[in-house]
Amino acid sequence: MKNYFIIIFSFFFLTTLAGKKGKKKLIIKNKPLKSLTMQQVVKQARKHKPSILMFNQLIQARKFGEGEAWAGYYPLVSLSSDVRAVRGERHAISTTGISGRQLVYAFDGPQLQAKRAHEATSIARYQKKVEENNVQFETETTFLECWRIQQQHDQILSLHKSTQAAYGRAAHQNKLELIDKNNWLTEVETHANNISTVHLYKDAASIFEKRLAFLTGYTINLNINPDTKTNTRQITTVAWNNSPQLTLKPLSYYQKLSMRNRPEIQEREHRIRELQRTYELSTKSNLPKLSISAETSYVNHIGTLTQPQRITQSIGGTISFPFLDIKSDYETERINANKLEAILAKQSTEQAIKSEVETTYHQLSQAYTRLRSQNFSYERSRNEFTLRKQELSAGLISPVTFKNAQATWDKAQFDWINQQVNLAIKKRELLFKCGYPLSVVL
């Protein structure tokens, strides 16, 4: 009895301890991460996406289909027993037997069926690869948008403060009738545009923060709250090594890459092979099949001594030859038409992919041209802001004028960051359109 109470006490103690540990882990999981890298979020998104897990199960099911096809060469053994009463007789007859059947050869047999099942497994693998590439590209672009948002946080705060100061000064001057109506309306328009920029930033930040959290399952805080005093949660730093340089090879190079690496093309190719196997199965279904069978049975006449018990055994072979099957002929023609349709669908997919690569290639070139042009504007704005700081130190301009110069400089940085991210997204898009070849770095 003493040992019994000890076991019960230990069970409740361990259960309580496990519950406390579980709660502690849950709290840690809900804390925002300190930092994120692109490789980290892509890896996590692939693990977190249910559709990728679904394809894992589909591939496993298709593999079982291959084993099921090969099982056609295994012997089929069955055991049977029955009791029958014959009308007019005073006894019943019981029969117990075991029988087996073995397929020796069939032109449309397990070997060809297993090849078709293997093609179906390959289709599922490439479908999974398509989904993985889609998830990777969506995660990469969302990650870059989050990096853009975090880099622009200080500029947005500066823009918000400067536009409030400039608007307050203009409103005071308008109240004292020190500026004309046109200048006043210009100040109002500028203020409205700047405030809309701030609100658009906050909405975009909320969207992409939630999207990245949805894709990865992580808790993320990009610090989008302008009031930093109330933001007490751990801020997630989006870490990305930006490379504004670009080396483009000829368009044909990337189109050839896409033809070799895009999983959609490989999926179409294996779909054609699967239909070819199905066509072969259909054309060979009318050819002879050879199988052997064996049976042994025990017959007992219940309730009589005059009828002896006996054991019967038999062995034999069977050749079946369905030489006339009109339905099978129509099915063969239908499968052949489906195969031709799949061939044309593959050609259409190849043309569409080449067009996608060409469009993205030129868009990437445009983004790089815009960034190089933006660099000159960025350098001019930085030099101008340096002069305004010197003028403020010398007392040549007012603090409000300096805040306007600060806003202009912040906007130049804002535009420069935008062009950097646009270029980076187009780089990732071109790699995505090429099927993410491992040997290519843009």
Side-chain angles (χ1 to χ4, degrees):
M1 182 63 70
K2 183 178 179 180
N3 293 334
Y4 177 74
F5 283 111
I6 291 175
I7 293 172
I8 294 178
F9 175 77
S10 301
F11 173 77
F12 281 108
F13 175 76
L14 293 175
T15 304
T16 305
L17 182 61
K20 290 181 178 179
K21 289 183 178 180
K23 291 181 180 178
K24 187 175 181 181
K25 289 182 179 179
L26 184 61
I27 293 174
I28 293 175
K29 184 179 179 180
N30 286 334
K31 286 184 178 180
L33 297 177
K34 291 184 179 180
S35 64
L36 284 175
T37 63
M38 184 177 290
Q39 293 79 7
Q40 179 184 358
V41 295
V42 169
K43 183 178 180 180
Q44 174 63 20
R46 287 183 172 182
K47 292 180 180 178
H48 186 69
K49 189 70 172 180
S51 58
I52 296 180
L53 301 178
M54 176 196 72
F55 279 114
N56 288 335
Q57 298 304 315
L58 178 60
I59 292 172
Q60 190 65 26
R62 297 284 175 85
K63 288 182 178 178
F64 286 135
E66 294 181 40
E68 180 184 1
W70 282 112
Y73 275 131
Y74 297 161
L76 177 62
V77 180
S78 59
L79 178 66
S80 63
S81 178
D82 68 87
V83 178
R84 292 179 293 171
V86 182
R87 186 176 182 180
E89 298 288 342
R90 295 182 179 180
H91 60 274
I93 301 174
S94 68
T95 304
T96 302
I98 183 171
S99 61
R101 177 176 291 274
Q102 170 70 58
L103 177 66
V104 177
Y105 185 78
F107 291 92
D108 60 341
Q111 184 175 0
L112 192 55
Q113 294 174 9
K115 290 181 179 179
R116 181 179 65 175
H118 178 72
E119 298 299 336
T121 305
S122 299
I123 291 173
R125 286 197 180 99
Y126 284 107
Q127 287 175 338
K128 176 188 174 183
K129 183 62 178 177
V130 170
E131 185 65 14
E132 286 178 341
N133 286 357
N134 290 335
V135 170
Q136 179 174 347
F137 179 64
E138 183 181 3
T139 305
E140 288 174 345
T141 54
T142 304
F143 176 87
L144 291 172
E145 291 290 353
C146 291
W147 184 86
R148 185 207 311 254
I149 286 165
Q150 203 159 67
Q151 294 298 312
Q152 293 173 344
H153 181 263
D154 293 339
Q155 286 79 20
I156 287 294
L157 291 180
S158 177
L159 176 63
H160 187 262
K161 292 177 181 178
S162 63
T163 192
Q164 293 286 41
Y167 180 76
R169 182 187 61 175
H172 182 68
Q173 291 176 345
N174 180 63
K175 184 178 181 180
L176 299 177
E177 298 182 352
L178 297 178
I179 59 174
D180 58 24
K181 185 176 182 180
N182 186 59
N183 289 336
W184 163 243
L185 292 177
T186 300
E187 292 289 344
V188 172
E189 180 185 3
T190 302
H191 175 70
N193 290 334
N194 290 337
I195 291 297
S196 66
T197 299
V198 172
H199 289 304
L200 289 173
Y201 167 83
K202 292 169 62 177
D203 290 336
S206 180
I207 290 171
F208 287 109
E209 181 183 85
K210 297 297 187 295
R211 182 180 295 177
L212 190 61
F214 169 77
L215 289 170
T216 61
Y218 290 145
T219 301
I220 299 170
N221 177 24
L222 296 179
N223 189 27
I224 62 176
N225 191 350
D227 187 4
T228 55
K229 294 181 180 180
T230 61
N231 195 354
T232 59
R233 295 192 303 157
Q234 171 69 51
I235 298 173
T236 303
T237 302
V238 180
W240 175 55
N241 295 325
N242 178 32
S243 176
Q245 301 301 320
L246 176 67
T247 303
L248 274 180
K249 295 183 179 181
L251 173 62
S252 58
Y253 172 79
Y254 298 101
Q255 289 181 328
K256 291 178 181 178
L257 277 178
S258 65
M259 294 297 102
R260 292 198 302 264
N261 293 281
R262 282 291 288 267
E264 293 91 339
I265 297 177
Q266 299 299 325
E267 178 193 350
R268 295 286 187 182
E269 178 64 29
H270 284 280
R271 174 60 179 164
I272 295 172
R273 295 178 185 177
E274 181 191 33
L275 288 171
Q276 176 62 32
R277 300 299 185 189
T278 306
Y279 178 77
E280 293 174 7
L281 282 168
S282 181
T283 55
K284 294 178 180 180
S285 62
N286 291 332
L287 298 178
K289 300 178 179 62
L290 174 61
S291 61
I292 59 175
S293 61
E295 181 179 1
T296 180
S297 60
Y298 171 75
V299 181
N300 181 24
H301 294 264
I302 304 174
T304 178
L305 298 177
T306 59
Q307 296 290 343
Q309 301 174 353
R310 55 192 178 92
I311 297 177
T312 61
Q313 295 178 339
S314 63
I315 186 171
T318 303
I319 297 179
S320 60
F321 189 7
F323 63 92
L324 183 61
D325 188 353
I326 304 299
K327 181 179 179 181
S328 177
D329 294 339
Y330 280 111
E331 182 180 4
T332 301
E333 295 300 326
R334 177 184 61 80
I335 295 171
N336 187 48
N338 289 338
K339 186 184 74 171
L340 295 176
E341 178 189 7
I343 293 173
L344 295 175
K346 180 192 173 187
Q347 295 175 358
S348 177
T349 301
E350 291 173 342
Q351 292 176 356
I353 289 175
K354 286 183 178 180
S355 178
E356 291 175 2
V357 172
E358 182 177 6
T359 300
T360 307
Y361 178 87
H362 292 300
Q363 289 175 344
L364 175 58
S365 179
Q366 289 177 336
Y368 186 57
T369 302
R370 293 191 187 100
L371 177 61
R372 291 195 300 173
S373 176
Q374 189 66 40
N375 287 338
F376 297 105
S377 177
Y378 176 82
E379 293 296 334
R380 180 193 61 79
S381 298
R382 181 169 61 179
N383 182 68
E384 185 176 349
F385 178 65
T386 302
L387 294 176
R388 296 291 86 79
K389 285 196 298 184
Q390 295 174 354
E391 291 173 350
L392 179 66
S393 300
L396 299 177
I397 60 174
S398 65
V400 174
T401 303
F402 177 75
K403 286 185 178 180
N404 290 335
Q406 176 74 54
T408 302
W409 166 234
D410 288 338
K411 185 178 184 302
Q413 296 179 80
F414 192 92
D415 294 337
W416 188 60
I417 291 172
N418 277 338
Q419 294 300 333
Q420 284 183 303
V421 175
N422 291 339
L423 176 64
I425 289 177
K426 284 301 172 183
K427 283 182 179 181
R428 306 311 302 176
E429 184 176 353
L430 183 58
L431 292 176
F432 168 62
K433 298 298 184 182
C434 292
Y436 284 113
L438 298 177
S439 60
V440 178
V441 178
L442 295 175

